[in-house]
């Protein structure tokens, strides 16, 4: 289908922190699984008639098999999630498309994105859509209908459409990043519902702002709400449409400083999610439109408007810089939040199974000791009897001797008469 596969080596991508940690923790859970299954086999062998373990002991250990299985299932599906928010037309969908190196999501002037669109890697080679709660695979072309505000078959704004895209077409998807596009924060009264449904498990938030204007109250309010529900959310701010600055070069530096100061202030002093210094590393001036065009060209996709404004290379580098910092942040944050809990759980399961086995071992040792004790008592009783027997036999012998002597005496007396 003319798709160009990304063949870039990703061994030094910061996303590998997550990918490797995920592999490692999955391997560890394979071992825990084996260990628990071995324990069950052992428990079977020692349960039953004359066994040392009770059926309840066996059931307790057996229950860990499904617990471990459930964690392994969750681990297999664990991913890094980034959600994009901002006012209508700031370029959220375009930023995502640029990061995916392809025009996957609908974008355009006016109010475009009409519902939540979650792009994730497809396990097969195909690309398809699925609406929430349905198993039906829909053709990708329908994303422009389902997700577009101007189409008759559009969905409700807080519904979710999953867009599955072949992993090998995009490095982010291959490394388990899931990207969530949203309708503009200014077109909905349902911000709370959005946050509860789609944000609580996001590892990173990207606020796509419009560098042609400034941070807006609706955008700020949305993130105020987010930071009351999530402690210390990771937030990046993209001042998009920075290509507009090319037409007003005389104020470029001042405008940039003005935007940067406001963004730093918002993250560090208003939201208090990071220090001013950290905030500086979270703010970028980019042009998503140019970045997407550049990447579409690299992949030899047909594109229109080939002329890019002055300074597009600098803006493109800044976009790439954003991607790198974003990858580092999401990777580390996801490892911390997702795997720390699982590894604690894994450790506890191993310890609990060990404790159950130890209990059985102790019962066995006690039983052995009591058998030895019984033998000792028996042994003592036997020697006592033996002693008694010796005494008795000695006394008998004496008696007999005496009887024999007296008989002999009587006989000799009789004979001598
Ligand atoms: P909604 O889905 O309606 O909330 O908008 P959105 O934030 O997803 O914006 P979208 O990506 O659809 O972009 C809106 C329009 O702005 C499109 O026509 C884009 O081509 C254009 N656009 C996006 N990014 C840039 C940019 O960096 N510079 C310029 N000049 N135009 C841009
Ligand atoms: Mg959009």
């Amino acid at each position: 289908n003319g798709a160009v596969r990304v063949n870039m080596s990703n061994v030094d991508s910061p996303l590998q922190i997550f990918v490797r940690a995920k592999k490692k923790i999955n391997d560890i859970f394979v071992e825990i699984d084996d260990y628990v299954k071995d324990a069950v086999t052992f428990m079977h062998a020692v349960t039953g008639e004359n066994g040392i373990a009770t059926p309840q002991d066996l059931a307790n250990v057996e229950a860990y098999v499904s617990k471990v299985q459930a964690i392994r299932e969750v681990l297999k599906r664990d991913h890094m999630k980034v959600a994009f928010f901002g006012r209508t037309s700031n370029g959220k969908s375009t930023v995502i498309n640029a990061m995916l190196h392809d025009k996957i999501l609908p974008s355009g002037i006016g109010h475009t994105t009409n519902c939540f669109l979650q792009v994730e890697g497809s396990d097969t080679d195909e690309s398809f859509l699925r609406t929430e709660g349905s198993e039906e695979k829909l053709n990708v072309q329908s994303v422009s209908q389902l997700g577009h505000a101007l189409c008759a078959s559009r969905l409700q704004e807080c519904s979710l459409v999953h867009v599955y895209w072949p992993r090998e077409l995009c490095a982010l998807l291959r490394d388990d990043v899931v990207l969530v596009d949203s309708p503009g924060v200014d077109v909905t009264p349902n911000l709370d519902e959005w946050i509860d449904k789609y944000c609580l498990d996001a590892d990173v938030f990207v606020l796509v702002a419009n560098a042609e204007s400034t941070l807006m109250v609706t955008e700020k309010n949305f993130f105020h709400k987010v930071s009351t529900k999530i402690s210390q959310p990771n937030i990046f701010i993209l001042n998009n449409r920075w290509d507009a600055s090319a037409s007003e070069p005389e104020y470029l530096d001042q405008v940039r400083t003005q935007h940067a100061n406001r963004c730093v202030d918002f993250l560090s002093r208003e939201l208090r999610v990071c220090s001013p210094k950290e905030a500086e590393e979270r703010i970028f001036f980019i042009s998503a439109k140019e970045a997407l065009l550049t990447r579409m060209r690299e992949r030899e996709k047909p594109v229109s408007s080939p002329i890019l404004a002055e300074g597009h290379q600098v803006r493109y580098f800044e976009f790439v810089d954003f991607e790198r910092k974003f990858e580092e942040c999401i990777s580390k944050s996801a490892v911390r939040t997702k795997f720390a809990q699982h590894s604690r759980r894994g450790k506890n399961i191993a310890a609990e199974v060990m404790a159950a086995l130890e209990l059985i071992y102790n019962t066995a040792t006690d039983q052995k000791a009591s058998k030895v004790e019984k033998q000792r008592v028996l042994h003592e009783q036997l020697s006592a009897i033996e002693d008694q027997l010796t005494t008795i036999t000695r006394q008998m012998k004496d008696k007999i001797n005496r009887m024999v002597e007296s008989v002999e005496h009587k006989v000799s007396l009789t004979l001598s008469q």
Side-chain angles (χ1 to χ4, degrees), residues 194-220:
W194 282 13
I195 298 171
D196 292 343
K197 275 179 104 166
Y198 304 112
C199 299
L200 298 182
D201 66 337
D203 301 291
V204 167
F205 294 88
V206 178
L207 164 55
V208 181
N210 186 347
E212 287 171 300
S213 55
T214 189
L215 275 188
M216 302 270 177
V217 176
T218 37
E219 291 165 331
K220 286 184 165 189

Side-chain angles (χ1 to χ4, degrees), residues 88-94 107-108 110 112-113 240-241 243 287-288:
T88 309
S89 278
N90 281 1
K92 302 176 288 298
S93 306
T94 312
S107 71
T112 308
T113 307
N240 191 34
R241 297 174 163 271
D243 47 311
S287 167

Side-chain angles (χ1 to χ4, degrees), residues 296-362:
M296 298 281 281
R297 266 195 217 152
E298 269 170 15
R299 298 175 80 172
E300 291 162 8
K301 295 247 180 177
V303 283
S304 53
S305 66
I307 301 153
L308 298 179
E310 183 73 22
H312 65 92
Q313 272 162 332
V314 179
R315 289 187 289 277
Y316 184 64
F317 287 143
E318 193 152 342
F319 188 81
V320 174
D321 188 31
F322 152 68
E323 289 181 307
R324 186 139 192 118
K325 300 240 169 68
F326 152 77
E327 289 181 5
E328 220 170 83
C329 175
I330 197 168
S331 190
K332 287 184 182 159
S333 162
V335 167
R336 237 189 347 260
T337 55
K338 311 234 149 100
F339 299 153
Q341 186 196 354
H342 289 313
S343 61
R344 228 176 298 127
R345 193 75 198 98
K347 242 161 71 181
N348 288 347
I349 289 177
E352 285 160 23
V353 170
M354 172 84 174
L357 292 185
E358 232 163 35
L359 209 68
I360 298 304
Y361 174 78
N362 289 344

Side-chain angles (χ1 to χ4, degrees), residues 203-302:
D203 301 291
V204 167
F205 294 88
V206 178
L207 164 55
V208 181
N210 186 347
E212 287 171 300
S213 55
T214 189
L215 275 188
M216 302 270 177
V217 176
T218 37
E219 291 165 331
K220 286 184 165 189
N221 280 348
F222 178 77
F223 282 93
H224 273 291
K225 276 177 188 287
V226 167
S227 68
T228 57
K229 300 198 183 208
I230 300 170
S231 79
Q232 303 289 305
N234 297 304
I235 304 171
F236 283 82
I237 301 180
L238 296 180
N239 291 286
N240 191 34
R241 297 174 163 271
W242 192 231
D243 47 311
S245 67
S247 57
E248 296 174 21
E250 64 276 28
Y251 289 116
L252 191 137
D253 291 335
Q254 280 121 301
V255 176
R256 188 179 169 125
T257 310
Q258 183 195 56
H259 282 321
N261 288 343
R262 286 193 185 165
C263 293
V264 168
D265 205 59
F266 176 56
L267 292 181
S268 63
R269 246 181 301 166
E270 271 190 57
L271 293 180
R272 296 172 186 276
V273 291
C274 58
S275 69
K277 193 136 191 61
E278 286 164 334
E280 278 169 27
E281 299 285 305
R282 294 278 170 91
I283 295 156
F284 299 87
F285 291 79
I286 58 142
S287 167
K289 190 177 177 174
E290 289 173 345
L292 177 61
L293 266 170
T294 307
R295 289 183 170 174
M296 298 281 281
R297 266 195 217 152
E298 269 170 15
R299 298 175 80 172
E300 291 162 8
K301 295 247 180 177

